[in-house]
Amino acid sequence: MNDLFANRIVITGTNCVVTLSSLGATRETGEPYHADTGGASVWWTWTAPINGTVTISTAGSSFDTVLAVYSGGSISSLSEAASNDDEDYDGGVYTSKVMFDVSVNQIYQIAVDGYGGDSGTVKLSVQLGPLVPPPQAPAWSLRDPYGVMINSSAYAGKVIILDFWATWCGPCKAEIPDYVFLQNKYRADGLVIIGPSVDSTSQAVIAFLATNSPALNYQVVMADYAVQQAYGGISAIPTTFLIDRQNLIRRKWVGTQSRSTFERAIIPLLYRDARLACRVNGNQLLLSWPAYAQSFTLEWAATPTGPTWSPWPTPPVVANGTNTTSVPADGMPRYFRLHLQY
């Protein structure tokens, strides 16, 4: 049985469907909680044969599944690529689905678990198609609950989490503390969270904002029918869109997501220009990179594959939004990287 990560089953191709039972499955030592829940996981491994957009689903399974996809070759070195609890919680679809872009020859580890450790018959499908160009995010002008007009153009050049929600939606409210945390942490580096409410009255939203703890630190607007249709029709909430600095929709999630899912998705968009530049100055090498509110650590190793990377001992000098540090040209081989802890 593919209960253990080491016993994961190999699946291949661009269109495959497998079925098995997860009865008796367990959670092994060091295994992450998939979509922040679980306890009875089974594993597969799949290598992308081409670049493309993959859809992985547990539709047809007999129980409330959770699904997570990772890169990494051991249980202790997994890095999440995507995860989902319910495909459509409000619509009563408790199986799971993720869709994301993959790279040729990249190996992906797929875990299917049950909400709260539930188990049963698992039906897993993997469908890979051509890369889907990300669509432009529709522009909008909406009033906040107090009647002030807010325009999407005010957030040009930002990374945006656009979350359709309502005050009466339990799963929506469960995400609010994570949004407050993320907005506090990444605001200075260009993250904007916007919450279009589908409540029928602004009075309900005003009352909620006045009493909710934690207090919302991000923009709330009232979503009209036109903007809901412009974003493909909001049939279930929360429905959340991730929009990059070029105003392209990079992700869409339906249902509650974990803070880690959002954080892993926004970081590549926030810091895609975080690159090391270098130049020789006399007998020194000067390394520079953009200064962000979230600090990158300059690390070095004697070989490009490590195994040990250590912080460079000389702290950078910050000037005009740039970090600069110097390295003596002493003939010793050194390799450098930027590391962001999150």
Side-chain angles (χ1 to χ4, degrees):
M1 182 181 179
N2 55 335
D3 177 21
L4 299 179
F5 180 85
N7 297 333
R8 59 199 185 278
I9 295 173
V10 176
I11 53 178
T12 60
T14 60
N15 191 344
C16 50
V17 180
V18 293
T19 304
L20 57 72
S21 174
S22 66
L23 293 174
T26 59
R27 178 175 179 267
E28 62 187 291
T29 302
E31 180 177 348
Y33 283 103
H34 313 295
D36 290 342
T37 184
S41 61
V42 285
W43 290 89
W44 287 266
T45 185
W46 173 74
T47 302
I50 57 172
N51 294 328
T53 301
V54 69
T55 301
I56 303 176
S57 170
T58 63
S61 299
S62 68
F63 62 103
D64 184 352
T65 64
V66 294
L67 170 66
V69 185
Y70 304 90
S71 59
S74 68
I75 199 72
S76 62
S77 65
L78 297 176
S79 178
E80 183 182 297
S83 67
N84 177 246
D85 180 0
D86 301 316
E87 179 179 345
D88 184 355
Y89 178 88
D90 288 337
V93 181
Y94 302 124
T95 51
S96 313
K97 183 170 76 171
V98 296
M99 183 172 69
F100 59 99
D101 294 342
V102 298
S103 302
V104 61
N105 296 327
Q106 176 66 51
I107 300 172
Y108 296 93
Q109 319 296 355
I110 304 169
V112 177
D113 210 322
Y115 183 83
D118 200 2
S119 59
T121 300
V122 178
K123 184 176 182 180
L124 178 72
S125 67
V126 178
Q127 296 182 326
L128 176 62
L131 283 170
V132 178
Q136 284 279 338
W140 49 264
S141 294
L142 297 170
R143 296 190 183 277
D144 74 7
Y146 309 97
V148 177
M149 185 64 72
I150 307 296
N151 297 309
S152 59
S153 58
Y155 307 107
K158 303 292 187 179
V159 173
I160 300 170
I161 293 177
L162 187 72
D163 176 62
F164 287 84
W165 71 294
T167 61
W168 43 262
C169 168
C172 301
K173 291 186 286 187
E175 291 183 324
I176 288 176
D178 290 338
Y179 288 145
V180 170
F181 173 89
L182 292 170
Q183 186 66 99
N184 273 332
K185 185 174 181 180
Y186 295 105
R187 183 193 303 274
D189 290 343
L191 177 67
V192 171
I193 298 175
I194 304 169
S197 168
V198 300
D199 283 88
S200 57
T201 67
S202 59
Q203 288 78 13
V205 179
I206 291 172
F208 177 84
L209 295 177
T211 59
N212 188 71
S213 180
L216 276 68
N217 59 352
Y218 54 89
Q219 182 67 61
V220 173
V221 293
M222 302 303 298
D224 57 22
Y225 178 77
V227 77
Q228 293 181 57
Q229 292 305 112
Y231 279 84
I234 307 302
S235 60
I237 53 172
T239 292
T240 308
F241 298 87
L242 177 61
I243 302 168
D244 69 12
R245 296 183 190 273
Q246 289 70 47
N247 198 44
L248 300 175
I249 297 175
R250 292 295 180 175
R251 289 284 187 91
K252 175 185 177 181
W253 295 281
V254 179
T256 306
Q257 308 298 316
S258 66
R259 180 195 297 177
S260 61
T261 294
F262 290 129
E263 198 162 18
R264 287 188 177 96
I266 66 175
I267 280 176
L269 303 184
L270 287 172
Y271 305 115
R272 63 187 304 172
D273 295 324
R275 297 180 178 91
L276 273 175
C278 61
R279 63 185 177 88
V280 176
N281 182 25
N283 63 347
Q284 293 183 325
L285 178 69
L286 295 182
L287 299 176
S288 60
W289 65 99
Y292 297 101
Q294 294 303 307
S295 298
F296 284 81
T297 300
L298 180 66
E299 295 183 337
W300 76 280
T303 64
T305 56
T308 302
W309 290 85
S310 302
W312 183 248
T314 305
V317 175
V318 183
N320 300 319
T322 300
N323 290 311
T324 303
T325 193
S326 60
V327 178
D330 54 12
M332 292 182 59
R334 296 186 182 96
Y335 296 83
F336 292 90
R337 72 179 186 183
L338 294 176
H339 186 206
L340 177 67
Q341 293 281 0
Y342 64 95

